[in-house]
Amino acid sequence: MFSNLSRRILWSIVLRAALRSSSTNRNNFKYDLEFLLQGVSKFDIRGESVPSEVMVHGSSAFPIGLTPDGKAFFAGADFGQGRVIVSSHEAYLGLESLSTFMINAVLWLDKRRNGVIGVLPELNDDVCRLLSKSGLQCQLTGFKNSLSVFVCTSYNDAQSKEIQEFVAGGGGLLIGGHAWWWAHCNPGRNVMRDCPGNRILSKMGLCLLEKTVKAGVYKVAKVKHHGMASTQIYHFQDLLQHFAGHVLQSQQLGDYEQQFLKKFGNDCVRYLRMQAFDCDTYKSVVVLLTEIVKAQFPEVSPTHPVKSAKDHLLLQVGTELFRLCKDTDEPLSYLIIDTPRLSTVNNARVRISANTADNEEWISTGLYLSPGMKTNMTVPGKIIGKGWQVQIGCQTDDLSRADELKRAPVVFIRFPLEKETLQVWNLWGGLIYLIAPPRSTVSEMEVVVQTAVKAPYYKSGETSVSDWVTEIRKAPAPWAELEFENLIITLPSDLIRHLDRPDEVAALWDSIMRSVADLAAKPAKFTRKERFVADVQISAGFMHSGYPIMMHSTSAPDLVNPYAAGKSDFWGPVHELGHNQQRSVWEFPPHTTECTCNLWSVYVHEVVLGVNRANAHEEMTADKRQSRIKRYVERGRHLKDWNVWTALETYMQLQEQFGWDAFKKVFAAYHDEKNTAKDKDDKMNLYAETFSKVVRRNLVDFFKAWGWPIHSSTEEKLSSLPEWSDHPLIQYK
């Protein structure tokens, strides 16, 4: 074993060599860029095509087209004796506005051989026409070794090995495609390792990411005489060596390195996910990142928040390195301090049922893993290879964009179920779930967890109050779950240790959730139970909607206090439940995004909690409502001012005249609506028409008084209905 001094000396030698190599490669790239960018001042990638970001990670790879924040959409590399250029969408290969660059690219790949350029037949004729105009010999063909350059898409890896050998032997490869759609269609799979394009490109130092690049016009990096770039260009290997020097040798980072630390941290995580342990370069990067993390892994908690980009990066990388570990005992000793020892159960048997609709569903096991703890799981063969996953951790918000962290950016992990027995673990620990994919049906299947910690877990209809009080709520896991008819609440166990009547909490939330369904004109039993999850930090706002609905831990106590209902802030949780009920067919963003969800807040407070709207929220008092209407009218009734609370007034006036049943009938009508209008004005006209027909009154004048863009055709359709001539805004005419 090396001493600390000898390790520092060793890494000093390694880093100096790496930096010299990196500097040499950068100079070579500048000459390549000078050739590739002749006659090119900008890249115009506007249009309907959505490109992926390209990660440039090889020491012989380099970015060509970049956004100002360092995202590459064109990149190249030397590979063996040959060369490759990747375009992050295949449509760009034949785009006239990019013709100068594409011709330069093929000439660079051809290396003056004047050979045959083979173009994959699946690409459109524009590619051949564009290249042929410059005198290049083009031929529609599949891959063959006699070509000088092969032009293809990234969507088929059937000949990946042959193509790699072709390039290594001196051939040129121009490949176009994206990875974001593959990632969307293959949830839970590893984009860096499994996406077909990356099976071709990763060995060449390039990868297509699931992240997209915004379409636009981007200036090229200016290249001066002798190929010198006027500005430094983000490069993964370059920044890796500088960051290693900073952490391991206390070298200062320049403004350039500081600028890209957040992106570099994300790229480190993506790079590690390639899991290319058969590649010496990959293994050396893993070793270097491990040394970096061992040297300075930060502590993070609400009382010790992480604020620097450097510590942010170290948290990301340390988490991902632990995920790769087979032997976790050694890294755990320097990554997690003071892990509490909790009593465990062995060979826990959990019965799982699922009947999912169009969305995935989390299935709770009532078990927990401590930070770094490993366990084996055995699952039935009938769900293997069918999209099922195991998830460790309930807090799924990604905090990578946050400037200050009260926990690591990502604290959950998923494992695909590809065999009947698997080992699972998570650096940060967490509750154990099975993730059922859409349209899955299983009944009473048994899952066995070898070793785990029991969590406090209450389920309506199955858990008795006496068992809860005497035993279950004392379970040692730090996270607890309460599962009701239509809702599951996940929160710190400290908040339920003295909860004596979970059945009363269940009754409250059963009433609330049934009323949510009632207003939405849906069956009382949800197709998928909603989830609330508490966390020390979330990705947006005070709470945010989704599956699960996320909230700060400080907001959680009232959720399990039935006596607080109507006396405390239930507006926020129901507001988020309302967000989950919103549908694009009757939504008019950005005006109603934070408005129509509040229909459920008002409804639940009045119908379930017995709280008048004027007392449900400070913005709903009569004085504030009236002043908003007056201000909106005085400013000219412009839709740009019609949003949030002002927009809610429109709906409240409809409700106060026609009742809640009118809204239920309108929502029900939209369930069967075949009109697929996407234009906002058309959708607003359809809503005015639908509401008018439901209440059998002509509401045109009312909606026009609110500034809605009502069409003459809508007025004509509703002309036979009696007008609402005494609506609340008539006084402002």
Side-chain angles (χ1 to χ4, degrees):
M1 293 294 291
F2 293 113
S3 67
N4 288 337
L5 177 61
S6 59
R7 180 181 283 119
R8 284 197 296 270
I9 294 171
L10 173 63
W11 282 111
S12 175
I13 296 170
V14 171
L15 286 172
R16 281 199 297 269
L19 286 168
R20 283 198 299 271
S21 173
S22 177
S23 176
T24 301
N25 284 330
R26 286 202 311 277
N27 287 330
N28 290 337
F29 303 156
K30 291 165 188 172
Y31 288 113
D32 294 322
L33 285 172
E34 186 177 47
F35 183 94
L36 289 163
L37 299 178
Q38 290 180 83
V40 181
S41 61
K42 62 185 179 183
F43 291 113
D44 186 349
I45 58 169
R46 290 175 294 183
E48 296 182 357
S49 301
V50 180
S52 279
E53 181 184 348
V54 181
M55 181 177 170
V56 182
H57 59 79
S59 58
S60 297
F62 57 95
I64 302 169
L66 285 162
T67 64
D69 57 352
K71 295 178 180 177
F73 48 89
F74 294 129
D78 291 314
F79 183 64
Q81 300 301 309
R83 293 169 170 174
V84 59
I85 284 181
V86 60
S87 165
S88 59
H89 199 289
E90 71 276 13
Y92 300 154
L93 300 177
L95 204 60
E96 187 62 37
S97 61
L98 297 170
S99 60
T100 301
F101 168 68
M102 288 302 169
I103 291 167
N104 288 348
V106 172
L107 291 172
W108 181 77
L109 294 166
D110 182 55
K111 290 186 173 182
R112 301 184 180 179
R113 287 185 294 258
N114 297 319
V116 175
I117 313 302
V119 179
L120 192 72
E122 284 91 298
L123 287 166
N124 60 43
D125 293 339
D126 292 341
V127 178
C128 268
R129 276 198 300 269
L130 185 149
L131 298 177
S132 296
K133 283 194 304 185
S134 65
L136 292 164
Q137 300 178 61
C138 286
Q139 183 182 111
L140 287 174
T141 178
F143 172 74
K144 52 187 179 181
N145 277 310
S146 59
L147 298 171
S148 175
V149 177
F150 183 47
V151 184
C152 65
T153 66
S154 64
Y155 305 128
N156 190 327
D157 62 351
Q159 294 179 286
S160 58
K161 186 175 181 181
E162 293 93 328
I163 292 172
Q164 289 166 350
E165 291 173 349
F166 164 74
V167 177
L173 176 67
L174 176 57
I175 184 169
H178 52 75
W180 58 265
W181 181 247
W182 184 92
H184 173 76
C185 296
N186 294 273
R189 294 189 65 189
N190 188 328
V191 175
M192 301 296 287
R193 185 187 64 202
D194 299 334
C195 181
N198 290 336
R199 285 179 172 165
I200 299 170
L201 290 167
S202 60
K203 285 190 175 181
M204 302 178 187
L206 300 164
C207 277
L208 293 162
L209 304 181
E210 73 278 13
K211 300 294 185 181
T212 60
V213 173
K214 186 177 180 180
V217 179
Y218 298 104
K219 293 180 180 179
V220 303
K222 293 181 181 179
V223 181
K224 297 181 179 179
H225 63 284
H226 303 304
M228 297 295 290
S230 61
T231 57
Q232 287 182 292
I233 295 173
Y234 171 82
H235 192 279
F236 176 76
Q237 290 284 349
D238 184 18
L239 199 47
L240 171 62
Q241 307 308 331
H242 282 284
F243 188 70
H246 172 62
V247 174
L248 300 174
Q249 297 182 307
S250 301
Q251 296 174 1
Q252 290 297 311
L253 292 177
D255 292 342
Y256 153 72
E257 289 88 1
Q258 293 279 4
Q259 175 188 354
F260 288 113
L261 275 186
K262 184 167 282 192
K263 174 173 172 52
F264 175 63
N266 293 332
D267 283 349
C268 283
V269 171
R270 292 165 182 148
Y271 184 88
L272 291 170
R273 287 179 182 169
M274 287 194 297
Q275 300 179 23
F277 290 104
D278 58 342
C279 171
D280 289 340
T281 301
Y282 179 85
K283 287 189 289 188
S284 68
V285 170
V286 171
V287 171
L288 182 53
L289 288 173
T290 301
E291 288 297 321
I292 290 170
V293 168
K294 285 175 72 172
Q296 292 188 22
F297 192 68
E299 180 183 355
V300 61
S301 69
T303 55
H304 291 89
V306 159
K307 300 180 181 180
S308 73
K310 170 185 165 183
D311 285 345
H312 192 293
L313 187 161
L314 290 169
L315 280 171
Q316 286 181 286
V317 175
T319 301
E320 194 62 31
L321 282 169
F322 191 81
R323 179 176 180 164
L324 294 175
C325 286
K326 300 302 180 186
D327 179 10
T328 56
D329 290 342
E330 195 265 339
L332 191 61
S333 65
Y334 57 79
L335 293 174
I336 298 291
I337 301 172
D338 298 329
T339 301
R341 292 189 176 275
L342 304 175
S343 60
T344 60
V345 292
N346 296 322
N347 296 319
R349 297 177 181 273
V350 183
R351 309 295 292 184
I352 297 293
S353 296
N355 186 16
T356 61
D358 295 329
N359 298 293
E360 71 174 27
E361 186 172 338
W362 300 9
I363 302 175
S364 304
T365 65
L367 298 171
Y368 170 85
L369 288 183
S370 295
M373 178 181 174
K374 283 188 171 183
T375 194
N376 292 316
M377 295 181 64
T378 303
V379 299
K382 62 184 176 182
I383 64 171
I384 299 303
K386 295 184 178 179
W388 284 72
Q389 301 173 80
V390 173
Q391 176 175 301
I392 312 299
C394 57
Q395 286 86 5
T396 52
D397 264 10
D398 186 342
L399 307 182
S400 297
R401 295 185 178 181
D403 293 325
E404 180 176 303
L405 295 172
K406 297 179 181 178
R407 65 156 170 83
V410 177
V411 292
F412 80 104
I413 188 172
R414 284 188 173 185
F415 298 85
L417 287 179
E418 297 171 343
K419 51 186 179 181
E420 292 185 32
T421 301
L422 74 160
Q423 191 172 62
V424 298
W425 65 95
N426 183 15
L427 174 62
W428 308 104
L431 292 169
I432 304 174
Y433 300 92
L434 266 75
I435 307 299
R439 296 171 293 282
S440 298
T441 302
V442 298
S443 178
E444 291 294 309
M445 69 176 186
E446 186 177 77
V447 174
V448 181
V449 182
Q450 185 183 58
T451 307
V453 179
K454 289 195 84 169
Y457 182 73
Y458 175 90
K459 186 172 184 178
S460 296
E462 294 185 13
T463 308
S464 72
V465 173
S466 60
D467 286 347
W468 169 261
V469 172
T470 59
E471 181 183 359
I472 296 173
R473 69 179 178 181
K474 300 174 185 177
W479 291 96
E481 290 198 315
L482 306 174
E483 181 172 350
F484 309 138
E485 181 183 53
N486 284 317
L487 178 70
I488 303 169
I489 301 175
T490 309
L491 70 174
S493 295
D494 290 346
L495 300 179
I496 57 83
R497 296 296 187 199
H498 302 289
L499 175 61
D500 295 326
R501 296 299 302 270
D503 55 325
E504 293 183 354
V505 181
L508 170 65
W509 282 105
D510 288 350
S511 297
I512 290 174
M513 298 305 292
R514 287 172 194 161
S515 71
V516 169
D518 181 38
L519 181 57
K522 292 180 179 179
K525 177 101 173 133
F526 281 42
T527 55
R528 178 178 70 174
K529 296 183 181 185
E530 295 279 18
R531 281 183 176 270
F532 283 125
V533 173
D535 199 352
V536 296
Q537 185 177 359
I538 64 177
S539 61
F542 183 67
M543 297 181 186
H544 71 73
S545 59
Y547 183 82
I549 294 169
M550 295 298 301
M551 63 175 56
H552 292 277
S553 299
T554 52
S555 301
D558 283 345
L559 296 184
V560 293
N561 182 2
Y563 310 108
K567 303 172 186 176
S568 189
D569 183 12
F570 268 64
W571 185 280
V574 182
H575 170 97
E576 304 305 340
L577 289 167
H579 269 307
N580 284 357
Q581 294 302 316
Q582 289 174 318
R583 296 296 177 264
S584 63
V585 287
W586 46 259
E587 274 294 290
F588 320 124
H591 312 292
T592 56
T593 304
E594 294 298 327
C595 158
T596 51
C597 53
N598 285 329
L599 291 171
W600 277 267
S601 292
V602 175
Y603 184 72
V604 166
H605 273 80
E606 293 191 339
V607 174
V608 179
L609 305 181
V611 179
N612 183 275
R613 64 193 62 182
N615 299 319
H617 195 286
E618 60 183 7
E619 291 295 332
M620 294 298 291
T621 63
D623 288 346
K624 287 195 174 184
R625 290 182 60 188
Q626 196 60 39
S627 65
R628 274 195 299 270
I629 297 170
K630 186 176 180 181
R631 184 166 60 250
Y632 179 70
V633 170
E634 289 173 349
R635 289 181 177 178
R637 313 180 198 225
H638 301 297
L639 277 185
K640 66 180 178 62
D641 300 321
W642 187 75
N643 50 54
V644 194
W645 299 106
T646 301
L648 185 62
E649 284 306 314
T650 303
Y651 296 94
M652 288 293 94
Q653 289 179 352
L654 288 168
Q655 191 280 326
E656 287 162 355
Q657 175 67 25
F658 301 108
W660 287 115
D661 279 350
F663 280 90
K664 297 173 189 179
K665 291 175 182 177
V666 168
F667 290 138
Y670 271 98
H671 294 332
D672 302 320
E673 176 58 53
K674 299 298 188 292
N675 188 306
T676 56
K678 294 182 180 179
D679 177 82
K680 182 174 68 178
D681 287 5
D682 290 343
K683 290 201 297 181
M684 294 180 85
N685 275 267
L686 179 60
Y687 190 88
E689 179 185 340
T690 304
F691 215 108
S692 293
K693 289 180 177 178
V694 162
V695 300
R696 296 186 176 88
R697 297 283 291 276
N698 184 343
L699 306 181
V700 163
D701 191 62
F702 169 75
F703 285 114
K704 288 177 74 174
W706 273 105
W708 283 33
I710 301 299
H711 299 156
S712 57
S713 57
T714 303
E715 295 189 51
E716 187 175 340
K717 287 179 186 177
L718 300 175
S719 59
S720 61
L721 293 172
E723 291 188 11
W724 185 17
S725 56
D726 58 347
H727 60 77
L729 261 64
I730 201 74
Q731 61 182 299
Y732 296 102
K733 277 200 168 183

